[in-house]
Amino acid sequence: MSRLDGITLEELQELREQTEGEIPRERVLAAIGRKQGDELDRLAERHGVVEKTVRNWLDRFAREPIEQAPYDDDRPGRPSKLNEEQREQLFEQLQQPPTELGYEQQAWSSTLLIDHVKEEYDVEYSKGHARKLMSKAELSYRTARPRNHEADPEQEAE
């Protein structure tokens, strides 16, 4: 229990009340369990992780301030290809039907979005990223349905 020697059970319980997010809360609950005498294997089973993960969680409380221990550091990732203003403009454009922007298609597709972003912003995206952008803009991506050339148009209309 040496990882938690400088922290009281009351401090951990107070931290649990203030902690937001599922994983950070699990980390605090594991620390509370350890402080109450639970063994690592029992904590690992309770939280659905391996013992090494529990040890890593508890190590956070030894090396970081108690308020920061449950949370991960920011992971910024690759910088966005569009700046914030361009991104907002794109999301506004995606709320309009493509026909309003001069395209012949009635609905946005990932391929159309890729072409639009290339033409408008000189930025290239993959289909997967285009789908993510559409999802963030709260759109579903559609694909054209193939038509059976032998189908009767009147029956399809019904």
Side-chain angles (χ1 to χ4, degrees), residues 19-29 57 60 70 72:
T19 303
E20 295 180 15
E22 184 180 342
I23 294 173
R25 195 169 293 120
E26 290 288 326
R27 292 171 181 155
V28 175
L29 290 172
W57 289 354
R60 291 167 168 262
D72 289 326

Side-chain angles (χ1 to χ4, degrees), residues 67-104:
E67 304 82 26
Q68 179 57 37
Y71 299 100
D72 289 326
D73 292 334
D74 287 337
R75 298 181 190 157
R78 179 183 291 176
S80 178
K81 292 180 179 180
L82 297 177
N83 65 37
E84 191 63 36
E85 184 180 319
Q86 291 171 323
R87 195 175 179 89
E88 286 177 23
Q89 182 181 16
L90 175 62
F91 285 174
E92 286 174 15
Q93 291 169 338
L94 290 175
Q95 298 308 312
Q96 303 172 35
T99 52
E100 300 239 344
L101 297 172
Y103 298 105
E104 293 181 12

Side-chain angles (χ1 to χ4, degrees), residues 12-154:
L12 289 170
Q13 289 171 335
E14 187 177 316
L15 180 62
R16 183 192 69 215
E17 304 277 327
Q18 301 166 357
T19 303
E20 295 180 15
E22 184 180 342
I23 294 173
R25 195 169 293 120
E26 290 288 326
R27 292 171 181 155
V28 175
L29 290 172
I32 289 172
R34 186 65 173 159
K35 193 71 173 177
Q36 292 174 333
D38 289 342
E39 297 296 324
L40 291 175
D41 60 341
R42 180 179 166 99
L43 290 169
E45 185 177 329
R46 182 183 302 149
H47 296 283
V49 296
V50 295
E51 285 183 45
K52 175 72 173 140
T53 300
V54 173
R55 279 194 294 279
N56 290 341
W57 289 354
L58 298 175
D59 285 344
R60 291 167 168 262
F61 289 91
R63 68 175 186 265
E64 297 178 19
I66 189 170
E67 304 82 26
Q68 179 57 37
Y71 299 100
D72 289 326
D73 292 334
D74 287 337
R75 298 181 190 157
R78 179 183 291 176
S80 178
K81 292 180 179 180
L82 297 177
N83 65 37
E84 191 63 36
E85 184 180 319
Q86 291 171 323
R87 195 175 179 89
E88 286 177 23
Q89 182 181 16
L90 175 62
F91 285 174
E92 286 174 15
Q93 291 169 338
L94 290 175
Q95 298 308 312
Q96 303 172 35
T99 52
E100 300 239 344
L101 297 172
Y103 298 105
E104 293 181 12
Q105 286 182 252
Q106 298 292 320
W108 287 101
S109 67
S110 55
T111 304
L112 180 59
L113 175 60
I114 289 168
D115 293 343
H116 175 71
V117 171
K118 175 67 176 158
E119 184 178 310
E120 187 82 11
Y121 304 102
D122 197 28
V123 169
E124 294 187 28
Y125 283 129
S126 67
K127 276 193 175 189
H129 192 74
R131 289 184 184 126
K132 286 179 187 176
L133 285 173
M134 291 176 71
S135 177
K136 286 181 182 177
E138 298 180 357
L139 298 175
S140 62
Y141 56 91
R142 301 181 198 176
T143 57
R145 292 178 130 178
R147 275 185 61 128
N148 183 344
H149 69 280
E150 295 176 356
D152 181 6
E154 291 176 12

